[in-house]
Amino acid sequence: PATGTTRNKEEEMGRFKEIIIEAAAPYERGVQYGEQAREEITLCIERYKEHFAAMGRMSWEEARSRVTPIRQLLLKDYQDCLAEVEGIAKGSDTDFVDLMVLNARYEFLHFPTDGECTAFALLREATEDGLVYVGQNWDNRPFVLEHTLIVRETEENGTRIIGTTEAGQLIRNGMNSHGLGMCANSLNSIFDRAGVGVPANFLRRKLLSLKSLDQMIAWLVNAPRTVSNNYCLASAENRAFDVEAVPTAPWLLLPEDNILTHANHLVGDRTVDAYQGMKFRGELLYKLLARKNGRITTDYVKECLKNHENFPDSLCAHMLEGETEMRKMWQTNASIIYNLDKLEMDICYGPPCQGEYVTYTL
């Protein structure tokens, strides 16, 4: 496992800190995670305590008080994920309940959620090299960049996973050695409500442990949820789906002419969309990719993800010049392309127009 590397060095290099997890059991894998990312996890908790207070929607202590029923729900089908979080707490010497709040922060801070992320999937017929891709621009508050990690994990059955996450959270997007990839972004529907459901972070981690796209969709459809989230899924079998996972029956969307894109607007039924933002980034990304349908290269995908049309509500998001309040603005903290045939990840640290993509092989 990679140890002993300081955050400052990685920031200067324009690369994320990478941790490697290889223990046989979930708890022990969590311990390895926590030991390697102790400093970043501590920072993440501190930053989110400040963020909860600044947002004024729910205090950190109130969020902590809501963890017990969530944990009880997860004990049925997500024991392995819970054990991993318990191990992260042990390895990083942090409080388990605080880590549960981190892993449910999407749900706790959901009302309302601003626009985050633009995802895509490309089938073989759309690409010049005949390979399958899935990826996204991951947008979030700029302070999140300092504690974002690349995580490599090998499970006891041999499944290998690579992806990104915030320190202390389970993997939030990624691909596995079965040729499956998953990216997610926020949604708001009129059905969203406070309550007890499976936090998106736990569901995302579970999806990346599966062996088929059909299994992924089954877990997504059946998971109890109280708020909406979007999942862009693809497989090296040359299949892709987008699942708008609302608390009622999820909508499944198929690629159009072998291209699939999605941002923060509901597409399955716009009448139940509670998001009133103007960031139609999913539609814009589709338009850009469709221009070279059948001839799309990874270099062209990168150029699309750097697009600044409609700035600041653009695919490549930035803090505005002179803006210092990192809790109000949005920024593309990572731009990611997963090659599901070669099992390669191209990832850019921060806004893609300002950095270089680095390739990691699973």
Side-chain angles (χ1 to χ4, degrees):
T3 57
T5 307
T6 67
R7 191 70 203 168
N8 288 337
K9 285 183 181 178
E10 280 133 3
E11 287 178 349
E12 290 170 4
M13 294 168 60
R15 298 177 72 150
F16 295 101
K17 179 171 182 175
E18 179 183 2
I19 61 174
I20 300 173
I21 305 168
E22 300 175 315
Y27 179 82
E28 284 71 24
R29 292 199 296 272
V31 172
Q32 287 188 343
Y33 179 157
E35 289 175 344
Q36 293 176 67
R38 181 180 290 115
E39 180 181 341
E40 290 78 16
I41 292 169
T42 299
L43 175 63
C44 188
I45 292 172
E46 291 174 353
R47 287 287 175 83
Y48 269 109
K49 285 181 177 179
E50 295 169 358
H51 188 58
F52 269 67
M55 297 298 287
R57 298 173 189 168
M58 180 185 297
S59 71
W60 187 264
E61 286 307 313
E62 182 181 353
R64 282 177 54 90
S65 72
R66 299 189 181 194
V67 163
T68 297
I70 294 173
R71 181 179 180 276
Q72 290 299 119
L73 174 66
L74 294 171
L75 283 171
K76 180 180 178 183
D77 295 313
Y78 296 82
Q79 303 97 323
D80 51 347
C81 298
L82 272 174
E84 192 167 330
V85 175
E86 290 169 352
I88 295 170
K90 174 66 175 178
S92 61
D93 194 26
T94 53
D95 185 85
F96 168 76
V97 178
D98 282 343
L99 287 182
M100 286 293 293
V101 174
L102 281 187
N103 279 278
R105 66 93 177 150
Y106 176 79
E107 286 72 21
F108 290 143
L109 295 177
H110 188 74
F111 303 98
T113 300
D114 296 321
E116 299 179 18
C117 312
T118 309
F120 69 90
L122 301 171
L123 298 182
R124 300 192 193 287
E125 294 80 1
T127 61
E128 188 172 274
D129 56 15
L131 304 180
V132 181
Y133 296 87
V134 66
Q136 70 179 143
N137 270 1
W138 174 40
D139 300 346
N140 210 306
R141 308 296 184 181
F143 74 83
V144 168
L145 182 60
E146 296 182 37
H147 55 251
T148 296
L149 306 170
I150 291 174
V151 179
R152 290 181 183 269
E153 188 161 355
T154 302
E155 298 187 323
E156 56 267 41
N157 64 4
T159 297
R160 292 172 288 117
I161 303 168
I162 189 169
T164 64
T165 195
E166 297 180 57
Q169 292 182 357
L170 300 168
I171 298 175
R172 61 175 298 115
N173 67 62
M175 68 177 172
N176 69 21
S177 53
H178 305 293
L180 298 174
M182 179 275 299
C183 293
N185 45 280
S186 65
L187 284 180
N188 286 263
S189 80
I190 61 174
F191 304 116
D192 297 356
R193 66 192 188 280
V196 178
V198 176
N201 271 12
F202 281 83
L203 183 52
R204 293 165 182 169
R205 176 64 185 86
K206 177 65 73 172
L207 294 178
L208 288 170
S209 71
L210 302 176
K211 296 183 179 181
S212 75
L213 200 56
D214 291 334
Q215 288 178 326
M216 282 181 145
I217 292 171
W219 274 91
L220 276 169
V221 169
N222 293 319
R225 60 180 59 85
T226 58
V227 299
S228 303
N229 202 220
N230 190 74
Y231 298 83
C232 188
L233 311 172
S235 162
E237 297 174 316
N238 201 32
R239 301 171 68 203
F241 291 92
D242 188 275
V243 181
E244 294 183 331
V246 298
T248 55
W251 286 287
L252 271 66
L253 308 175
L254 295 171
E256 181 179 346
D257 292 332
N258 304 304
I259 298 172
L260 182 60
T261 62
H262 205 291
N264 304 112
H265 288 279
L266 278 159
V267 176
D269 185 353
R270 290 189 184 274
T271 66
V272 302
D273 192 350
Y275 176 51
Q276 301 301 316
M278 297 304 294
K279 295 185 178 182
F280 291 95
R281 290 169 278 103
E283 292 83 347
L284 173 59
L285 182 57
Y286 184 90
K287 180 182 73 173
L288 294 172
L289 291 170
R291 289 175 182 172
K292 291 198 174 184
N293 198 349
R295 299 176 291 112
I296 298 172
T297 65
T298 54
D299 284 342
Y300 182 67
V301 173
K302 293 171 185 177
E303 288 305 310
C304 293
L305 296 176
K306 296 176 184 179
N307 186 277
H308 292 114
E309 187 174 332
N310 301 323
F311 184 83
D313 298 334
S314 51
L315 285 166
C316 186
H318 303 263
M319 288 187 68
L320 298 175
E321 185 175 354
E323 178 62 60
T324 59
E325 180 46 70
M326 298 178 72
R327 302 182 191 286
K328 295 180 180 178
M329 304 303 298
W330 293 90
Q331 173 178 280
T332 301
N333 287 325
S335 183
I336 312 164
I337 303 169
Y338 295 107
N339 181 325
L340 301 181
D341 289 287
K342 291 185 176 181
L343 297 180
E344 291 180 347
M345 174 181 73
D346 284 0
I347 184 168
C348 181
Y349 180 91
C353 70
Q354 298 177 357
E356 298 291 332
Y357 286 84
V358 178
T359 301
Y360 295 79
T361 301
L362 180 59

